[in-house]
Amino acid sequence: MTTESETVLIETEGRSGVITLNRPEALNALTHPMVVRIAEALTAWEDDPAIDHVLLRGAGERGLCAGGDIRAIHADAKAGTTASLGFWRDEYRLNARIARYPKPYVALMDGIVMGGGVGVSAHGSVRIVTERARVAMPETGIGFVPDVGGTYLLSRAPGELGTHLALTGAAVGAADALMCGLADHYVPSDFLDELTRDLAEGQDGASADKVVARYAIPVGPEGPLAAEREWIDRCYAADTVEEIHSRLLGSGLPAAREASRTLHAKSPTALKVTLAALRRARAADSLERVLEQEYRVSAAALSMPDLVEGIRAQVIDKDRCPRWSPGALVQVRAAAVERFFAPLGEGRELTFPAG
């Protein structure tokens, strides 16, 4: 097993500051100490003239990062304690910092990139997906709501694609990740080692963008979402989850009916809060304002029964039969949704400087 001090490897390779998420046995799921260690590395490299850019990668063959350590979150929520709040506070600050980092931040989004993995990669300035990429924000399936700036990113995807992905938790491949604005370049996985070497060598003084451009190729056939834009945009433009569900069922299209079945399995409360969060994020003027909102939502979710039950069903017991409370969309009242967005009180909010 990897020890705590080895869960993130911080190295310099030539002109590159390299961050390797190193919990392959847990699909590189993020813990609080990992978040702190990444932030410390970014601080050390920010003004270091020997470092031209940051490179983020994941250890193992399965993916960059499957998200946060939800077993730890489950234990926290079940015990009624609040350690997760400290984790989220530092994680969301890291997400914002990545988005504003003054040097190129190159993220290798190879394999599984979900939840917190999206947060440490998709806010970067040079985001690379491969043929193995599977990018998702699957939080509604565990009674949670997309966070780590996920509602900001998905609210800015074309049309209602982001609404579809946020509510269903569906994973997308390289082509759809590029179309949705979650990535910038497609590089086949066989080229990643050579790309990493060239970035470290800083050949001919080329910027990280120029080095990556040498390896990036057209992604090939468009992804499945491109062909489904018409019904996705029409169905998910509705103002309520109930109406979205109704439009999906009434569309007569197999893919839309499958999406309705997917929604039926998710937490009704998480679905309604997610839709509200996305609509509010779409109107927000910055990532920071959205992260402040997400922190309120996450803090509220920590004390709600669906988060404990969702993680139990999907990760702990793995029976895949969560008993949501309440169990139906019509039972989730507007006031219950609004409570997720209520102020936390003085000294308890996550705040970023204005502007």
Side-chain angles (χ1 to χ4, degrees):
M1 294 290 290
T2 305
T3 65
E4 195 67 70
S5 63
E6 298 171 330
T7 55
V8 178
L9 304 180
I10 305 298
E11 305 163 290
T12 57
E13 296 179 6
R15 308 298 298 177
S16 301
V18 181
I19 300 170
T20 305
L21 306 181
N22 190 40
R23 293 183 72 208
E25 73 285 351
L27 236 170
N28 300 319
L30 293 170
T31 63
H32 197 169
M34 291 171 71
V35 166
V36 171
R37 189 157 166 77
I38 294 168
E40 290 172 346
L42 294 182
T43 297
W45 291 331
E46 186 165 346
D47 296 317
D48 185 344
I51 299 299
D52 288 341
H53 52 265
V54 173
L55 177 71
L56 175 76
R57 62 190 179 189
E61 300 296 323
R62 298 169 61 198
L64 173 67
C65 175
D69 188 347
I70 59 175
R71 287 181 176 270
I73 294 170
H74 177 266
D76 190 32
K78 190 173 182 180
T81 49
T82 58
S84 297
L85 296 180
F87 168 54
W88 288 326
R89 182 181 295 272
D90 286 341
E91 184 181 26
Y92 300 174
R93 288 192 182 281
L94 176 63
N95 301 146
R97 187 170 187 190
I98 289 168
R100 309 297 182 204
Y101 201 64
K103 295 181 178 181
Y105 183 100
V106 183
L108 303 185
M109 300 170 71
D110 183 32
I112 292 174
V113 185
M114 296 184 178
V118 173
V120 294
S121 61
H123 296 299
S125 54
V126 185
R127 305 165 301 173
I128 297 167
V129 283
T130 74
E131 77 283 358
R132 303 186 297 204
R134 301 298 295 166
V135 185
M137 296 297 296
E139 285 78 7
T140 58
I142 59 166
F144 198 46
V145 177
D147 65 337
V148 298
T151 59
Y152 178 86
L153 293 166
L154 293 177
S155 70
R156 283 152 175 79
E160 296 295 336
L161 293 178
T163 309
H164 170 67
L165 295 179
L167 294 181
T168 64
V172 297
D176 285 330
L178 290 164
M179 181 178 67
C180 290
L182 301 173
D184 306 301
H185 305 280
Y186 172 69
V187 176
S189 58
D190 286 346
F191 295 167
L192 293 183
D193 287 346
E194 189 175 350
L195 166 61
T196 299
R197 286 194 297 271
D198 278 359
L199 284 169
E201 291 170 3
Q203 291 184 347
D204 305 319
S207 67
D209 273 312
K210 289 182 178 179
V211 173
V212 171
R214 297 173 188 163
Y215 292 90
I217 63 174
V219 71
E222 64 183 16
L225 286 187
E228 297 169 354
R229 275 290 305 276
E230 192 278 330
W231 68 261
I232 287 175
D233 287 351
R234 175 168 43 83
C235 294
Y236 288 94
D239 291 332
T240 67
V241 180
E242 290 94 332
E243 178 60 22
I244 290 172
H245 198 269
S246 177
R247 291 185 187 185
L248 291 169
L249 283 174
S251 70
L253 298 170
R257 289 198 298 270
E258 179 60 31
S260 74
R261 285 192 289 271
T262 298
L263 293 184
H264 185 71
K266 308 300 183 183
S267 159
T269 299
L271 288 175
K272 287 200 170 185
V273 176
T274 295
L275 183 62
L278 285 168
R279 298 297 190 248
R280 295 179 187 217
R282 185 177 287 172
D285 62 3
S286 69
L287 170 63
E288 286 79 2
R289 300 292 82 78
V290 175
L291 286 165
E292 290 170 350
Q293 172 181 281
E294 289 180 348
Y295 186 78
R296 287 183 177 180
V297 171
S298 297
L302 189 65
S303 63
M304 298 296 175
D306 278 5
L307 180 58
V308 171
E309 174 61 11
I311 298 175
R312 180 208 63 77
Q314 300 297 336
V315 179
I316 307 299
D317 297 338
K318 299 183 180 179
D319 58 31
R320 308 291 191 265
C321 294
R323 296 179 290 275
W324 304 122
S325 179
L329 288 168
V330 295
Q331 296 173 317
V332 183
R333 305 304 181 193
V337 174
E338 283 300 312
R339 282 198 291 272
F340 281 78
F341 300 93
L344 299 175
E346 186 176 355
R348 298 176 59 203
E349 302 276 8
L350 171 66
T351 57
F352 293 91

